[in-house]
Amino acid sequence: QTQLLGVLLAAASNFLISVSLNIQKCAHLRLVCQAEQKPYYTSKLWWCGITLLGLGEVGNFTAYGFAPVAVVAPLGCVSVIGSAFISVFFLKKTMRTADILGGALTITGIYLLVTFAPNAPQELTARQVQNYLVSWPFFIYSILEIITFCILLYFYKRKAVKHIVVLLMMVALLASLTVIAVKAVSSMITLSVKGKMQLTYSVFYIMIVLMATSCAFQIKFLNQAMHLYEATAVVPINFVFFTTSAIISGVIFYREFQSATLLSVFMFLFGCLLSFLGVIIIARNKKEEHLQIPFIDCGHIPGQKLTLKIQPDSHSPCYGTLNKEDDSVKMQS
């Protein structure tokens, strides 16, 4: 019953996040269409979206205290399929066949991974977290993760390799630590609320520091990937990498599949595969929407009688340039 509560909370939270993102996008589009340009933070609609986003993230955080990591992490796909369908109403987008197919695969995958998820006890005490931190499986896992991260960071910093896989692999490695810390902190807070005080243990504050630090660096590399690549490429790859790393961390640190049968493990992984395929299909060939950039009308420049229009060069720091060889467009001093 506790695990079911966590599943429902995670699904509802991710759906709320998809609604909030569409509301924020709608607010930005409305502001662009207004004659008088105002900052986005003056929009009540935008603040409504931010509020829903905050509630969704709090709900996701709380869900880790009731359900295994291996269940909560894959349910992030709810925000992807929710955003695809909600955008039809908020942003007047066209429903594609790929959206319907991807949504069907994702929902089927969610059903399988929730049905065959590990039924591990969720009352995680501070002493259990301490024991997990000094266990040999986590020690070996940490060493391998640190070595892998250092190699990727070397190529990123020294060799200037900014491939999307390199960036999102670093995000995933950091995300595994974030998930471990979030699960521990959420569980200890939940137990404390129930009357079993866990906040007096030093491991609680160690996990808070680990959560904040790993999350900050995770956002840094994710923003770098979003800056260099289209969101349609970043979103599915990041979802696959994040979910895989979260499941592995749950298996190694919290030993969530310790008593699971081979059939349950196979069906759970099959459900994850279906959700991965669904998200990739939804994001594939989805065109990015760019706000229309206004052009310069030379006819409105004082001293000019030219009506040619110059489109800004997106690859240049300048807004636009005039052809110096054409006498008809020379600027008057």
CSV table of all heavy atoms in Angstrom, one decimal, residues 104-166:
chain,number,residue,atom,x,y,z
A,104,ALA,N,1.2,5.0,-26.4
A,104,ALA,CA,0.8,3.6,-26.1
A,104,ALA,C,1.9,2.7,-25.6
A,104,ALA,O,1.7,1.9,-24.7
A,104,ALA,CB,0.2,3.0,-27.4
A,105,LEU,N,3.1,2.8,-26.3
A,105,LEU,CA,4.2,2.0,-25.8
A,105,LEU,C,4.7,2.4,-24.4
A,105,LEU,O,5.0,1.6,-23.6
A,105,LEU,CB,5.4,2.2,-26.8
A,105,LEU,CG,5.3,1.5,-28.1
A,105,LEU,CD1,6.4,1.9,-29.0
A,105,LEU,CD2,5.3,0.0,-28.0
A,106,THR,N,4.7,3.7,-24.1
A,106,THR,CA,5.1,4.2,-22.8
A,106,THR,C,4.1,3.8,-21.7
A,106,THR,O,4.6,3.3,-20.7
A,106,THR,CB,5.2,5.7,-22.8
A,106,THR,OG1,6.1,6.1,-23.9
A,106,THR,CG2,5.8,6.2,-21.5
A,107,ILE,N,2.8,3.9,-22.0
A,107,ILE,CA,1.8,3.5,-21.0
A,107,ILE,C,1.9,2.0,-20.7
A,107,ILE,O,1.9,1.5,-19.6
A,107,ILE,CB,0.4,3.9,-21.5
A,107,ILE,CG1,0.3,5.4,-21.4
A,107,ILE,CG2,-0.6,3.2,-20.6
A,107,ILE,CD1,-1.0,5.9,-22.1
A,108,THR,N,2.1,1.2,-21.8
A,108,THR,CA,2.3,-0.3,-21.6
A,108,THR,C,3.6,-0.6,-20.8
A,108,THR,O,3.5,-1.4,-19.9
A,108,THR,CB,2.4,-1.0,-23.0
A,108,THR,OG1,1.3,-0.6,-23.8
A,108,THR,CG2,2.5,-2.5,-22.8
A,109,GLY,N,4.6,0.2,-21.0
A,109,GLY,CA,5.9,0.0,-20.3
A,109,GLY,C,5.7,0.4,-18.8
A,109,GLY,O,6.2,-0.3,-17.9
A,110,ILE,N,5.0,1.5,-18.6
A,110,ILE,CA,4.7,1.9,-17.2
A,110,ILE,C,3.9,0.8,-16.4
A,110,ILE,O,4.2,0.5,-15.3
A,110,ILE,CB,3.9,3.2,-17.2
A,110,ILE,CG1,4.8,4.4,-17.6
A,110,ILE,CG2,3.4,3.5,-15.8
A,110,ILE,CD1,4.1,5.7,-17.8
A,111,TYR,N,2.9,0.2,-17.1
A,111,TYR,CA,2.1,-0.8,-16.5
A,111,TYR,C,3.0,-2.0,-16.1
A,111,TYR,O,2.9,-2.6,-15.0
A,111,TYR,CB,1.0,-1.3,-17.4
A,111,TYR,CG,0.3,-2.5,-16.9
A,111,TYR,CD1,-0.7,-2.3,-15.9
A,111,TYR,CD2,0.5,-3.7,-17.4
A,111,TYR,CE1,-1.4,-3.4,-15.4
A,111,TYR,CE2,-0.2,-4.9,-16.9
A,111,TYR,CZ,-1.1,-4.7,-15.9
A,111,TYR,OH,-1.8,-5.8,-15.4
A,112,LEU,N,3.9,-2.4,-17.0
A,112,LEU,CA,4.8,-3.6,-16.7
A,112,LEU,C,5.8,-3.3,-15.6
A,112,LEU,O,6.0,-4.1,-14.7
A,112,LEU,CB,5.5,-4.0,-18.0
A,112,LEU,CG,4.7,-4.6,-19.1
A,112,LEU,CD1,5.5,-4.9,-20.3
A,112,LEU,CD2,4.0,-5.9,-18.6
A,113,LEU,N,6.4,-2.1,-15.6
A,113,LEU,CA,7.4,-1.9,-14.6
A,113,LEU,C,6.8,-1.6,-13.3
A,113,LEU,O,7.5,-2.0,-12.2
A,113,LEU,CB,8.3,-0.7,-15.1
A,113,LEU,CG,7.8,0.7,-15.2
A,113,LEU,CD1,7.9,1.4,-13.9
A,113,LEU,CD2,8.6,1.5,-16.3
A,114,VAL,N,5.6,-1.1,-13.2
A,114,VAL,CA,5.0,-0.9,-11.9
A,114,VAL,C,4.5,-2.3,-11.4
A,114,VAL,O,4.6,-2.6,-10.2
A,114,VAL,CB,3.8,0.0,-12.0
A,114,VAL,CG1,2.9,0.0,-10.8
A,114,VAL,CG2,4.3,1.5,-12.3
A,115,THR,N,3.9,-3.1,-12.3
A,115,THR,CA,3.4,-4.4,-11.9
A,115,THR,C,4.5,-5.4,-11.4
A,115,THR,O,4.4,-6.1,-10.4
A,115,THR,CB,2.7,-5.1,-13.0
A,115,THR,OG1,1.7,-4.3,-13.5
A,115,THR,CG2,2.1,-6.5,-12.6
A,116,PHE,N,5.7,-5.3,-12.0
A,116,PHE,CA,6.8,-6.3,-11.7
A,116,PHE,C,7.9,-5.5,-11.0
A,116,PHE,O,9.0,-6.0,-11.0
A,116,PHE,CB,7.3,-6.9,-13.0
A,116,PHE,CG,6.3,-7.8,-13.6
A,116,PHE,CD1,5.5,-7.4,-14.7
A,116,PHE,CD2,6.2,-9.1,-13.2
A,116,PHE,CE1,4.6,-8.2,-15.3
A,116,PHE,CE2,5.2,-10.0,-13.8
A,116,PHE,CZ,4.5,-9.5,-14.9
A,117,ALA,N,7.6,-4.4,-10.4
A,117,ALA,CA,8.6,-3.7,-9.6
A,117,ALA,C,9.0,-4.4,-8.3
A,117,ALA,O,8.2,-5.2,-7.8
A,117,ALA,CB,8.1,-2.3,-9.2
A,118,PRO,N,10.2,-4.2,-7.8
A,118,PRO,CA,10.7,-4.9,-6.6
A,118,PRO,C,9.8,-4.4,-5.4
A,118,PRO,O,9.5,-3.2,-5.3
A,118,PRO,CB,12.1,-4.5,-6.4
A,118,PRO,CG,12.2,-3.2,-7.2
A,118,PRO,CD,11.3,-3.4,-8.4
A,119,ASN,N,9.4,-5.4,-4.6
A,119,ASN,CA,8.6,-5.0,-3.5
A,119,ASN,C,9.4,-5.0,-2.2
A,119,ASN,O,9.3,-5.8,-1.3
A,119,ASN,CB,7.4,-6.1,-3.3
A,119,ASN,CG,6.4,-5.6,-2.3
A,119,ASN,OD1,6.3,-4.5,-1.9
A,119,ASN,ND2,5.5,-6.6,-1.9
A,120,ALA,N,10.3,-4.0,-2.2
A,120,ALA,CA,11.3,-3.9,-1.1
A,120,ALA,C,10.7,-3.0,0.0
A,120,ALA,O,9.9,-2.1,-0.2
A,120,ALA,CB,12.6,-3.2,-1.6
A,121,PRO,N,11.1,-3.3,1.3
A,121,PRO,CA,10.6,-2.5,2.4
A,121,PRO,C,11.1,-1.0,2.3
A,121,PRO,O,12.3,-0.8,1.9
A,121,PRO,CB,11.2,-3.1,3.6
A,121,PRO,CG,12.3,-4.0,3.1
A,121,PRO,CD,11.9,-4.4,1.7
A,122,GLN,N,10.2,0.0,2.5
A,122,GLN,CA,10.6,1.4,2.2
A,122,GLN,C,10.9,2.2,3.5
A,122,GLN,O,11.2,3.3,3.4
A,122,GLN,CB,9.4,2.0,1.5
A,122,GLN,CG,9.2,1.4,0.1
A,122,GLN,CD,10.5,1.3,-0.7
A,122,GLN,OE1,11.2,2.3,-0.9
A,122,GLN,NE2,10.7,0.2,-1.3
A,123,GLU,N,10.8,1.5,4.7
A,123,GLU,CA,11.2,2.3,5.9
A,123,GLU,C,12.7,2.2,6.0
A,123,GLU,O,13.3,1.3,6.6
A,123,GLU,CB,10.5,1.6,7.1
A,123,GLU,CG,9.0,1.9,7.2
A,123,GLU,CD,8.5,1.8,8.6
A,123,GLU,OE1,9.3,1.4,9.5
A,123,GLU,OE2,7.4,2.2,8.9
A,124,LEU,N,13.3,3.3,5.5
A,124,LEU,CA,14.8,3.4,5.5
A,124,LEU,C,15.3,4.2,6.6
A,124,LEU,O,15.1,5.4,6.6
A,124,LEU,CB,15.2,3.9,4.1
A,124,LEU,CG,16.7,3.9,3.8
A,124,LEU,CD1,17.1,2.4,3.6
A,124,LEU,CD2,16.9,4.7,2.5
A,125,THR,N,16.0,3.6,7.6
A,125,THR,CA,16.4,4.4,8.8
A,125,THR,C,17.8,4.9,8.5
A,125,THR,O,18.5,4.5,7.5
A,125,THR,CB,16.5,3.5,10.0
A,125,THR,OG1,17.4,2.4,9.8
A,125,THR,CG2,15.1,2.9,10.3
A,126,ALA,N,18.3,5.8,9.3
A,126,ALA,CA,19.6,6.4,9.2
A,126,ALA,C,20.7,5.4,9.4
A,126,ALA,O,21.7,5.4,8.7
A,126,ALA,CB,19.8,7.6,10.2
A,127,ARG,N,20.5,4.4,10.3
A,127,ARG,CA,21.5,3.4,10.5
A,127,ARG,C,21.6,2.5,9.2
A,127,ARG,O,22.7,2.0,8.9
A,127,ARG,CB,21.1,2.5,11.7
A,127,ARG,CG,21.3,3.3,13.0
A,127,ARG,CD,21.2,2.4,14.2
A,127,ARG,NE,21.3,3.1,15.4
A,127,ARG,CZ,22.5,3.4,16.0
A,127,ARG,NH1,23.6,3.1,15.4
A,127,ARG,NH2,22.5,4.1,17.2
A,128,GLN,N,20.5,2.2,8.5
A,128,GLN,CA,20.6,1.4,7.3
A,128,GLN,C,21.3,2.2,6.2
A,128,GLN,O,22.1,1.6,5.5
A,128,GLN,CB,19.2,1.1,6.8
A,128,GLN,CG,18.4,0.1,7.6
A,128,GLN,CD,17.0,-0.2,7.1
A,128,GLN,OE1,16.2,0.8,7.1
A,128,GLN,NE2,16.7,-1.4,6.8
A,129,VAL,N,21.1,3.5,6.1
A,129,VAL,CA,21.8,4.3,5.2
A,129,VAL,C,23.3,4.3,5.5
A,129,VAL,O,24.2,4.1,4.5
A,129,VAL,CB,21.3,5.7,5.1
A,129,VAL,CG1,22.2,6.6,4.2
A,129,VAL,CG2,19.9,5.8,4.7
A,130,GLN,N,23.7,4.4,6.7
A,130,GLN,CA,25.1,4.3,7.1
A,130,GLN,C,25.7,2.9,6.7
A,130,GLN,O,26.8,2.9,6.2
A,130,GLN,CB,25.2,4.5,8.6
A,130,GLN,CG,25.0,5.9,9.1
A,130,GLN,CD,25.0,6.0,10.6
A,130,GLN,OE1,25.0,5.0,11.3
A,130,GLN,NE2,25.0,7.3,11.1
A,131,ASN,N,25.0,1.9,6.9
A,131,ASN,CA,25.5,0.5,6.6
A,131,ASN,C,25.7,0.4,5.0
A,131,ASN,O,26.6,-0.2,4.6
A,131,ASN,CB,24.5,-0.5,7.1
A,131,ASN,CG,24.5,-0.6,8.6
A,131,ASN,OD1,25.5,-0.3,9.2
A,131,ASN,ND2,23.4,-1.1,9.2
A,132,TYR,N,24.7,1.0,4.3
A,132,TYR,CA,24.8,0.9,2.8
A,132,TYR,C,26.0,1.7,2.3
A,132,TYR,O,26.7,1.3,1.3
A,132,TYR,CB,23.5,1.5,2.2
A,132,TYR,CG,22.3,0.6,2.4
A,132,TYR,CD1,21.0,1.1,2.4
A,132,TYR,CD2,22.4,-0.8,2.5
A,132,TYR,CE1,19.9,0.3,2.6
A,132,TYR,CE2,21.3,-1.6,2.6
A,132,TYR,CZ,20.1,-1.0,2.7
A,132,TYR,OH,19.0,-1.8,2.8
A,133,LEU,N,26.3,2.8,3.0
A,133,LEU,CA,27.4,3.7,2.6
A,133,LEU,C,28.8,3.0,2.7
A,133,LEU,O,29.7,3.3,1.9
A,133,LEU,CB,27.4,5.0,3.4
A,133,LEU,CG,26.5,6.1,2.9
A,133,LEU,CD1,26.5,7.3,3.9
A,133,LEU,CD2,26.8,6.6,1.5
A,134,VAL,N,28.9,2.2,3.7
A,134,VAL,CA,30.2,1.5,3.9
A,134,VAL,C,30.2,0.1,3.4
A,134,VAL,O,31.2,-0.7,3.7
A,134,VAL,CB,30.6,1.5,5.4
A,134,VAL,CG1,30.7,2.9,5.9
A,134,VAL,CG2,29.5,0.8,6.2
A,135,SER,N,29.2,-0.3,2.6
A,135,SER,CA,29.2,-1.7,2.1
A,135,SER,C,30.1,-1.8,0.9
A,135,SER,O,30.4,-0.8,0.2
A,135,SER,CB,27.8,-2.0,1.6
A,135,SER,OG,27.3,-1.2,0.6
A,136,TRP,N,30.6,-3.0,0.6
A,136,TRP,CA,31.6,-3.3,-0.5
A,136,TRP,C,30.9,-3.1,-1.8
A,136,TRP,O,31.6,-2.5,-2.7
A,136,TRP,CB,32.1,-4.7,-0.4
A,136,TRP,CG,33.2,-4.8,0.6
A,136,TRP,CD1,33.2,-5.4,1.9
A,136,TRP,CD2,34.6,-4.3,0.4
A,136,TRP,NE1,34.5,-5.2,2.5
A,136,TRP,CE2,35.3,-4.6,1.6
A,136,TRP,CE3,35.2,-3.7,-0.6
A,136,TRP,CZ2,36.7,-4.3,1.7
A,136,TRP,CZ3,36.6,-3.4,-0.5
A,136,TRP,CH2,37.3,-3.7,0.6
A,137,PRO,N,29.7,-3.5,-2.1
A,137,PRO,CA,29.1,-3.2,-3.4
A,137,PRO,C,29.1,-1.7,-3.8
A,137,PRO,O,29.5,-1.3,-4.9
A,137,PRO,CB,27.7,-3.8,-3.3
A,137,PRO,CG,27.8,-4.8,-2.3
A,137,PRO,CD,28.8,-4.3,-1.3
A,138,PHE,N,28.7,-0.9,-2.8
A,138,PHE,CA,28.7,0.5,-3.1
A,138,PHE,C,30.1,1.1,-3.2
A,138,PHE,O,30.3,2.1,-4.0
A,138,PHE,CB,27.9,1.3,-2.0
A,138,PHE,CG,27.8,2.8,-2.2
A,138,PHE,CD1,27.1,3.3,-3.3
A,138,PHE,CD2,28.5,3.6,-1.4
A,138,PHE,CE1,27.1,4.7,-3.5
A,138,PHE,CE2,28.4,5.0,-1.6
A,138,PHE,CZ,27.7,5.5,-2.7
A,139,PHE,N,31.0,0.6,-2.5
A,139,PHE,CA,32.4,1.1,-2.5
A,139,PHE,C,33.0,0.8,-3.9
A,139,PHE,O,33.6,1.7,-4.6
A,139,PHE,CB,33.3,0.4,-1.5
A,139,PHE,CG,34.7,0.8,-1.5
A,139,PHE,CD1,35.1,2.1,-1.1
A,139,PHE,CD2,35.7,-0.1,-2.1
A,139,PHE,CE1,36.5,2.4,-1.1
A,139,PHE,CE2,37.0,0.3,-2.1
A,139,PHE,CZ,37.4,1.5,-1.6
A,140,ILE,N,32.8,-0.4,-4.4
A,140,ILE,CA,33.3,-0.7,-5.8
A,140,ILE,C,32.6,0.1,-6.8
A,140,ILE,O,33.2,0.6,-7.8
A,140,ILE,CB,33.1,-2.2,-6.0
A,140,ILE,CG1,34.0,-3.0,-5.1
A,140,ILE,CG2,33.5,-2.6,-7.5
A,140,ILE,CD1,33.7,-4.5,-5.1
A,141,TYR,N,31.2,0.2,-6.7
A,141,TYR,CA,30.4,1.0,-7.6
A,141,TYR,C,30.9,2.5,-7.7
A,141,TYR,O,31.0,3.1,-8.7
A,141,TYR,CB,29.0,1.0,-7.2
A,141,TYR,CG,28.1,1.9,-8.0
A,141,TYR,CD1,27.7,1.6,-9.3
A,141,TYR,CD2,27.5,3.0,-7.4
A,141,TYR,CE1,26.9,2.4,-10.0
A,141,TYR,CE2,26.7,3.8,-8.1
A,141,TYR,CZ,26.3,3.5,-9.4
A,141,TYR,OH,25.5,4.4,-10.1
A,142,SER,N,31.2,3.0,-6.5
A,142,SER,CA,31.7,4.4,-6.4
A,142,SER,C,33.0,4.6,-7.1
A,142,SER,O,33.2,5.6,-7.8
A,142,SER,CB,31.8,4.9,-4.9
A,142,SER,OG,30.5,4.8,-4.3
A,143,ILE,N,33.9,3.7,-6.9
A,143,ILE,CA,35.2,3.8,-7.5
A,143,ILE,C,35.1,3.7,-9.0
A,143,ILE,O,35.7,4.6,-9.7
A,143,ILE,CB,36.2,2.6,-7.1
A,143,ILE,CG1,36.5,2.7,-5.5
A,143,ILE,CG2,37.4,2.6,-7.9
A,143,ILE,CD1,37.2,4.0,-5.2
A,144,LEU,N,34.3,2.8,-9.6
A,144,LEU,CA,34.1,2.7,-11.0
A,144,LEU,C,33.4,4.0,-11.5
A,144,LEU,O,33.8,4.5,-12.6
A,144,LEU,CB,33.2,1.5,-11.3
A,144,LEU,CG,33.9,0.1,-11.1
A,144,LEU,CD1,32.9,-1.0,-11.3
A,144,LEU,CD2,35.1,-0.1,-12.0
A,145,GLU,N,32.5,4.5,-10.8
A,145,GLU,CA,31.8,5.7,-11.2
A,145,GLU,C,32.7,6.9,-11.2
A,145,GLU,O,32.7,7.7,-12.2
A,145,GLU,CB,30.6,6.0,-10.3
A,145,GLU,CG,29.7,7.2,-10.8
A,145,GLU,CD,28.4,7.3,-10.1
A,145,GLU,OE1,27.5,6.6,-10.5
A,145,GLU,OE2,28.4,8.0,-9.1
A,146,ILE,N,33.6,7.0,-10.2
A,146,ILE,CA,34.5,8.2,-10.2
A,146,ILE,C,35.5,8.1,-11.3
A,146,ILE,O,35.8,9.1,-11.9
A,146,ILE,CB,35.2,8.2,-8.8
A,146,ILE,CG1,34.2,8.6,-7.7
A,146,ILE,CG2,36.4,9.1,-8.8
A,146,ILE,CD1,34.8,8.4,-6.3
A,147,ILE,N,36.0,6.9,-11.6
A,147,ILE,CA,37.0,6.7,-12.7
A,147,ILE,C,36.4,7.1,-14.0
A,147,ILE,O,37.0,7.8,-14.8
A,147,ILE,CB,37.5,5.3,-12.7
A,147,ILE,CG1,38.4,5.0,-11.5
A,147,ILE,CG2,38.3,5.0,-14.0
A,147,ILE,CD1,38.8,3.6,-11.3
A,148,THR,N,35.1,6.6,-14.2
A,148,THR,CA,34.4,6.9,-15.5
A,148,THR,C,34.2,8.4,-15.6
A,148,THR,O,34.4,9.0,-16.7
A,148,THR,CB,33.1,6.1,-15.6
A,148,THR,OG1,33.3,4.7,-15.3
A,148,THR,CG2,32.4,6.3,-16.9
A,149,PHE,N,33.8,9.0,-14.5
A,149,PHE,CA,33.5,10.4,-14.6
A,149,PHE,C,34.7,11.2,-14.9
A,149,PHE,O,34.7,12.2,-15.6
A,149,PHE,CB,32.8,10.9,-13.3
A,149,PHE,CG,32.4,12.3,-13.3
A,149,PHE,CD1,31.2,12.7,-13.8
A,149,PHE,CD2,33.2,13.3,-12.7
A,149,PHE,CE1,30.7,14.0,-13.9
A,149,PHE,CE2,32.8,14.6,-12.7
A,149,PHE,CZ,31.5,15.0,-13.3
A,150,CYS,N,35.8,10.9,-14.2
A,150,CYS,CA,37.1,11.6,-14.4
A,150,CYS,C,37.6,11.5,-15.9
A,150,CYS,O,38.1,12.4,-16.5
A,150,CYS,CB,38.2,11.1,-13.5
A,150,CYS,SG,37.9,11.5,-11.8
A,151,ILE,N,37.4,10.3,-16.5
A,151,ILE,CA,37.8,10.1,-17.9
A,151,ILE,C,36.9,11.0,-18.8
A,151,ILE,O,37.5,11.7,-19.7
A,151,ILE,CB,37.6,8.6,-18.3
A,151,ILE,CG1,38.7,7.7,-17.6
A,151,ILE,CG2,37.8,8.5,-19.8
A,151,ILE,CD1,38.5,6.3,-17.8
A,152,LEU,N,35.6,11.0,-18.6
A,152,LEU,CA,34.7,11.8,-19.4
A,152,LEU,C,35.1,13.3,-19.2
A,152,LEU,O,35.0,14.1,-20.1
A,152,LEU,CB,33.3,11.6,-19.0
A,152,LEU,CG,32.7,10.2,-19.4
A,152,LEU,CD1,31.4,10.0,-18.8
A,152,LEU,CD2,32.7,10.0,-20.9
A,153,LEU,N,35.3,13.7,-17.9
A,153,LEU,CA,35.7,15.1,-17.6
A,153,LEU,C,37.0,15.5,-18.3
A,153,LEU,O,37.1,16.7,-18.7
A,153,LEU,CB,35.7,15.3,-16.1
A,153,LEU,CG,35.8,16.7,-15.6
A,153,LEU,CD1,34.6,17.5,-16.0
A,153,LEU,CD2,36.0,16.8,-14.1
A,154,TYR,N,37.9,14.6,-18.3
A,154,TYR,CA,39.2,14.9,-19.0
A,154,TYR,C,39.0,15.2,-20.5
A,154,TYR,O,39.5,16.2,-21.0
A,154,TYR,CB,40.1,13.7,-18.9
A,154,TYR,CG,41.4,13.8,-19.7
A,154,TYR,CD1,42.5,14.6,-19.4
A,154,TYR,CD2,41.5,13.1,-20.9
A,154,TYR,CE1,43.6,14.7,-20.2
A,154,TYR,CE2,42.6,13.1,-21.7
A,154,TYR,CZ,43.7,13.9,-21.4
A,154,TYR,OH,44.8,14.1,-22.2
A,155,PHE,N,38.2,14.4,-21.2
A,155,PHE,CA,37.9,14.6,-22.6
A,155,PHE,C,37.1,15.9,-22.7
A,155,PHE,O,37.3,16.6,-23.7
A,155,PHE,CB,37.1,13.4,-23.2
A,155,PHE,CG,38.0,12.3,-23.5
A,155,PHE,CD1,38.0,11.1,-22.7
A,155,PHE,CD2,38.8,12.3,-24.6
A,155,PHE,CE1,38.8,10.1,-23.0
A,155,PHE,CE2,39.6,11.2,-25.0
A,155,PHE,CZ,39.6,10.1,-24.2
A,156,TYR,N,36.2,16.2,-21.8
A,156,TYR,CA,35.4,17.4,-21.9
A,156,TYR,C,36.2,18.7,-21.7
A,156,TYR,O,36.1,19.7,-22.4
A,156,TYR,CB,34.3,17.3,-20.8
A,156,TYR,CG,33.5,18.6,-20.7
A,156,TYR,CD1,32.5,18.9,-21.6
A,156,TYR,CD2,33.6,19.4,-19.5
A,156,TYR,CE1,31.7,20.1,-21.5
A,156,TYR,CE2,32.9,20.6,-19.4
A,156,TYR,CZ,31.9,20.9,-20.4
A,156,TYR,OH,31.2,22.1,-20.2
A,157,LYS,N,37.1,18.7,-20.7
A,157,LYS,CA,37.9,19.8,-20.3
A,157,LYS,C,39.2,20.0,-21.2
A,157,LYS,O,39.4,21.0,-21.8
A,157,LYS,CB,38.3,19.8,-18.9
A,157,LYS,CG,37.2,20.0,-17.9
A,157,LYS,CD,36.7,21.5,-17.9
A,157,LYS,CE,35.7,21.8,-16.8
A,157,LYS,NZ,35.3,23.2,-16.8
A,158,ARG,N,39.9,18.9,-21.3
A,158,ARG,CA,41.3,19.0,-22.0
A,158,ARG,C,41.2,18.8,-23.5
A,158,ARG,O,41.9,19.5,-24.2
A,158,ARG,CB,42.2,17.9,-21.4
A,158,ARG,CG,42.5,18.1,-19.9
A,158,ARG,CD,43.3,19.3,-19.7
A,158,ARG,NE,43.7,19.4,-18.3
A,158,ARG,CZ,44.4,20.5,-17.8
A,158,ARG,NH1,44.8,21.4,-18.6
A,158,ARG,NH2,44.7,20.5,-16.5
A,159,LYS,N,40.3,18.0,-23.9
A,159,LYS,CA,40.2,17.7,-25.4
A,159,LYS,C,39.0,18.4,-26.0
A,159,LYS,O,38.8,18.3,-27.2
A,159,LYS,CB,40.0,16.2,-25.6
A,159,LYS,CG,41.2,15.3,-25.0
A,159,LYS,CD,42.5,15.6,-25.7
A,159,LYS,CE,43.6,14.7,-25.2
A,159,LYS,NZ,44.9,15.0,-25.9
A,160,ALA,N,38.3,19.2,-25.2
A,160,ALA,CA,37.1,20.0,-25.7
A,160,ALA,C,36.1,19.1,-26.4
A,160,ALA,O,35.5,19.5,-27.4
A,160,ALA,CB,37.6,21.1,-26.6
A,161,VAL,N,35.9,17.9,-25.9
A,161,VAL,CA,34.9,17.0,-26.5
A,161,VAL,C,33.6,17.2,-25.9
A,161,VAL,O,33.4,17.0,-24.7
A,161,VAL,CB,35.3,15.5,-26.3
A,161,VAL,CG1,34.2,14.6,-26.9
A,161,VAL,CG2,36.6,15.2,-27.0
A,162,LYS,N,32.7,17.8,-26.6
A,162,LYS,CA,31.3,18.2,-26.1
A,162,LYS,C,30.2,17.4,-26.8
A,162,LYS,O,29.2,18.0,-27.1
A,162,LYS,CB,31.1,19.7,-26.2
A,162,LYS,CG,32.1,20.5,-25.3
A,162,LYS,CD,31.8,22.0,-25.4
A,162,LYS,CE,32.6,22.7,-24.3
A,162,LYS,NZ,34.0,22.5,-24.4
A,163,HIS,N,30.5,16.2,-27.1
A,163,HIS,CA,29.5,15.3,-27.7
A,163,HIS,C,28.3,15.1,-26.8
A,163,HIS,O,28.5,15.1,-25.5
A,163,HIS,CB,30.1,14.0,-28.1
A,163,HIS,CG,29.2,13.2,-29.1
A,163,HIS,ND1,28.2,12.4,-28.6
A,163,HIS,CD2,29.2,13.1,-30.4
A,163,HIS,CE1,27.6,11.8,-29.7
A,163,HIS,NE2,28.2,12.3,-30.8
A,164,ILE,N,27.1,15.0,-27.3
A,164,ILE,CA,25.9,14.9,-26.5
A,164,ILE,C,26.0,13.7,-25.6
A,164,ILE,O,25.5,13.7,-24.4
A,164,ILE,CB,24.7,14.8,-27.4
A,164,ILE,CG1,23.4,14.9,-26.5
A,164,ILE,CG2,24.7,13.6,-28.3
A,164,ILE,CD1,22.1,15.0,-27.3
A,165,VAL,N,26.6,12.6,-26.0
A,165,VAL,CA,26.7,11.3,-25.2
A,165,VAL,C,27.6,11.6,-24.0
A,165,VAL,O,27.4,11.2,-22.9
A,165,VAL,CB,27.2,10.2,-26.1
A,165,VAL,CG1,27.5,8.9,-25.2
A,165,VAL,CG2,26.2,9.8,-27.1
A,166,VAL,N,28.8,12.3,-24.3
A,166,VAL,CA,29.7,12.6,-23.2
A,166,VAL,C,29.0,13.4,-22.1
A,166,VAL,O,29.1,13.2,-20.9
A,166,VAL,CB,31.0,13.3,-23.7
A,166,VAL,CG1,31.9,13.8,-22.6
A,166,VAL,CG2,31.7,12.4,-24.7
